[in-house]
């Protein structure tokens, strides 16, 4: 009560910048003002090539953005670096660590198009024959069948347990 809470959003999109390469841009913005700030960019040709399809690179930026939003949700300047280590030689940041911002930020929207959602967040592609929908187990053909659409849902929904089992099966 009595604290200003601003609605925040994260926007991710790809941007071409040369003929055969592009960037993944990460913006944070306030939903009240619409002012966007670019907080990160990754060159697609320089993403991790270990077989993760670039997820290892994207994940590091998402961790840093999550760290920023967590501090903003508490309404204070971060007490430590994004990796948990102390500020050490950064006198400016260490002097304000833990002090009040005067407002809080609630992340209420993560926005991207479908072309960026699949590689950046690890969701299945719409061309997947098994289950292209990130929310349910409907096969590709079922998603195009309008008879299966319902306001109550579309097939069996994916759960956290489903995700954990899939991750366990892929672990080596």
């Amino acid at each position: 009560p009595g604290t200003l809470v601003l609605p925040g959003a994260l926007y991710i999109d790809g941007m071409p910048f040369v003929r055969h390469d592009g960037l993944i841009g990460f913006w944070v913005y306030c939903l009240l003002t619409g002012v966007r700030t670019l907080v990160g960019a990754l060159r697609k040709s320089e993403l991790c090539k270990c077989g993760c399809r670039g997820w290892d690179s994207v994940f590091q930026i998402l961790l840093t953005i999550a760290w920023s939003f967590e501090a903003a949700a508490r309404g204070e300047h971060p007490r430590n670096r994004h990796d948990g280590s102390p500020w050490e030689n950064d006198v400016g940041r260490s002097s304000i660590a833990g002090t009040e911002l005067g407002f809080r930020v609630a992340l209420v929207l993560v926005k991207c198009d479908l072309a960026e959602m699949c590689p950046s967040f690890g969701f299945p592609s719409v061309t997947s024959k098994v289950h292209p929908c990130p929310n349910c187990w409907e096969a590709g053909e079922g998603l195009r069948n309008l008879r299966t659409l319902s306001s109550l849902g579309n097939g069996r929904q994916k759960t956290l347990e489903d995700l954990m089992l899939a991750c366990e099966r892929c672990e080596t």
Side-chain angles (χ1 to χ4, degrees):
T3 303
L4 175 65
V5 180
L6 301 172
L10 171 64
Y11 176 65
I12 301 172
D13 202 0
M15 307 171 290
F17 75 97
V18 292
R19 183 172 221 173
H20 298 290
D21 200 4
L23 294 171
I24 301 173
F26 300 81
W27 290 267
V28 170
Y29 66 100
C30 177
L31 291 171
L32 294 178
T33 63
V35 175
R36 294 183 183 200
T37 303
L38 180 67
V39 295
L42 290 172
R43 190 171 180 169
K44 289 185 178 184
S45 64
E46 295 179 1
L47 295 176
C48 179
K49 294 178 179 40
C50 74
C52 67
R53 297 187 304 167
W55 174 244
D56 290 343
S57 302
V58 171
F59 186 67
Q60 294 306 313
I61 287 199
L62 292 177
L63 277 178
T64 305
I65 293 170
W67 165 79
S68 296
F69 270 113
E70 287 171 7
R74 288 190 308 269
E76 63 182 31
H77 289 92
R79 297 177 184 273
N80 297 315
R81 295 181 183 277
H82 66 283
D83 61 0
S85 65
W87 288 113
E88 290 181 4
N89 298 331
D90 194 336
V91 178
R93 292 181 195 250
S94 64
S95 66
I96 61 170
T99 60
E100 293 289 320
L101 291 171
F103 61 90
R104 293 180 182 219
V105 176
L107 177 63
V108 296
L109 177 67
V110 176
K111 182 179 171 183
C112 64
D113 58 12
L114 191 57
E116 207 52 56
M117 183 174 73
C118 298
S120 295
F121 292 110
F123 289 120
S125 169
V126 293
T127 59
S128 171
K129 301 258 188 254
V130 182
H131 50 91
C133 179
N135 297 317
C136 72
W137 291 100
E138 190 66 47
E141 299 80 34
L143 287 177
R144 295 177 222 8
N145 184 354
L146 298 179
R147 290 185 205 164
T148 63
L149 290 178
S150 167
S151 60
L152 302 175
N154 188 18
R156 186 174 73 81
Q157 299 298 304
K158 292 179 182 175
T159 64
L160 180 59
E161 292 79 25
D162 294 329
L163 172 67
M164 298 308 289
L165 284 171
C167 289
E168 285 177 22
R169 286 194 302 266
C170 293
E171 289 286 325
T172 54

